[in-house]
Amino acid sequence: MIIESTISLLLLLIQVPATALLLSRLLKGPRRHPPLKPQQPTPDILGSVSVVVPTLNEALRISPLLAGLSRQSYEVREVIVVDSRSQDGTPELVKAVQEKDPRFRVMTDDPLPPGWVGRPWALHNGFLFSSPDSEWFLGMDADIQPDPGLVASLVKTAQAEGYDLVSLSPQFILQYPGECWLQPALLMTLLYRFDPAGVYTEQPERVMANGQCFLCRRSVLAAVDGYSSAQSSFCDDVTLARNIAAAGFKVGFFDGAKVFKVRMYEGAMETWKEWGRSLDLKDAAESAQIWGDLWLLSAVQGLPLIVVLAYLPISPSPYLPISLVLAVNVFLVIIRFALLLAIAPSYDRKNAQGGWLFWLSPLADPLAVLRIFLSAFRTPKEWRGRKY
């Protein structure tokens, strides 16, 4: 039992402080801002928003976004699709919508300069090309499906609460068994590391953001020279949001599951490859913060199920450290399943094959934490069809 007791003491040293940190964040949940709901526009926000959408071969995914943006009301002054020389007919789809809705425009961005990643470069071009008369810049991804009243809700929330930048978490659409199991575990790596959506964070380095739906005052974006400060970041949304928060502006991240959906990746393998390599957020954080997050994820997400399964055969034990380790990890497993219940509304599983696997996603936690480790020490060589 000496070896088991020694291992137990080490686990307690690793896990108890991490559990306390996790609880300090989760306890903020009851006072979080409620999920945004669609709102009707009012005359004071007439023509106040320029929407910019970066695209590269998005013909198979962009139609729901174009239809959803057409249903937004008069608060949207213009919709600028910045295309990076798509070869699949993406610009033609936008031009077809433009014939019915003159707010739509499509432009081709300049060749990618050295030091820039494609997405921030396209958004930067869209910002420069957008109307200076718009008060708000709204960056949106081609794979989202906005509900009517989304844009009005964003603007009214930002105005009412004095935010300079607001972004939203979506409702994720799941279709295949593997992603129903893996994707919630990957999402959980974000929930453990940051305050709940809807809780205002005063520390710029802990700010969270989502570029899929990213509303910023045009004057604020101009003050930080557009996307220049995030030009080389593969998580440009978080990098830019933290830079804006560090400059003294108010940044908010809210639950948007009731106002837009997203179908990000097809199947578990694509989810593992594409989403997994951006979740580490290494381009938006210092090394110490990355290592701290890796410690936290290992302690409270990666280890608990493994420890419980390993310690059950030796329980009950007269050795206090062993009993404490088992108790701590059972507690963490309970928290994990409670969080799974909490995030269930953030998933659309109505048409999913094997949607029940969502409830077994805690079994994928060790893999999800491993994915963050692998990503944290690798620079992407390919992203959304571009090679770097």
Side-chain angles (χ1 to χ4, degrees), residues 182 186 265 267-278 371 375 382-383:
L182 177 63
L186 288 169
Y265 302 115
M269 291 303 297
E270 190 174 344
T271 301
W272 171 273
K273 178 184 176 183
E274 299 290 347
W275 201 35
R277 64 184 171 187
S278 64
R371 188 65 186 92
S375 180
E382 183 179 348
W383 190 266

Side-chain angles (χ1 to χ4, degrees), residues 44 47-49 131-137 159 216-219:
D44 60 298
S48 62
V49 182
S131 172
D133 294 326
S134 293
E135 181 182 358
W136 298 95
F137 170 95
Q159 287 181 334
C216 185
R217 292 186 189 275
R218 181 182 175 83
S219 59

Side-chain angles (χ1 to χ4, degrees), residues 142-185:
D143 54 5
I144 76 167
Q145 302 177 16
D147 292 341
L150 162 63
V151 179
S153 179
L154 271 169
V155 174
K156 285 180 168 293
T157 299
Q159 287 181 334
E161 304 189 26
Y163 282 95
D164 300 294
L165 191 162
V166 172
S167 65
L168 304 179
S169 64
Q171 185 180 57
F172 298 94
I173 301 171
L174 299 179
Q175 288 188 2
Y176 302 113
E179 66 191 71
C180 289
W181 181 68
L182 177 63
Q183 210 267 15

Side-chain angles (χ1 to χ4, degrees), residues 253-376:
F253 179 62
F254 300 132
D255 184 346
K258 294 183 178 180
V259 289
F260 81 105
K261 298 180 180 182
V262 62
R263 175 73 186 142
M264 291 176 64
Y265 302 115
E266 298 296 322
M269 291 303 297
E270 190 174 344
T271 301
W272 171 273
K273 178 184 176 183
E274 299 290 347
W275 201 35
R277 64 184 171 187
S278 64
L279 287 175
D280 59 88
L281 306 181
K282 60 179 177 292
D283 292 344
E286 299 292 337
S287 295
Q289 183 176 338
I290 296 170
W291 279 107
D293 285 347
L294 291 175
W295 156 70
L296 179 73
L297 289 177
S298 300
V300 300
Q301 186 178 1
L303 286 174
L305 270 175
I306 296 173
V307 172
V308 168
L309 293 174
Y311 271 62
L312 280 177
I314 59 174
S315 181
S317 170
Y319 293 90
L320 182 60
I322 294 177
S323 299
L324 284 176
V325 166
L326 184 59
V328 167
N329 284 277
V330 168
F331 178 61
L332 287 169
V333 169
I334 292 172
I335 288 177
R336 175 63 173 86
F337 278 95
L339 287 173
L340 190 61
L341 283 170
I343 68 169
S346 295
Y347 285 92
D348 180 349
R349 295 173 286 117
K350 293 192 297 290
N351 300 313
Q353 303 171 20
W356 57 273
L357 287 167
F358 170 84
W359 301 107
L360 297 183
S361 62
L363 298 177
D365 280 358
L367 275 179
V369 175
L370 173 63
R371 188 65 186 92
I372 305 302
F373 266 89
L374 293 175
S375 180

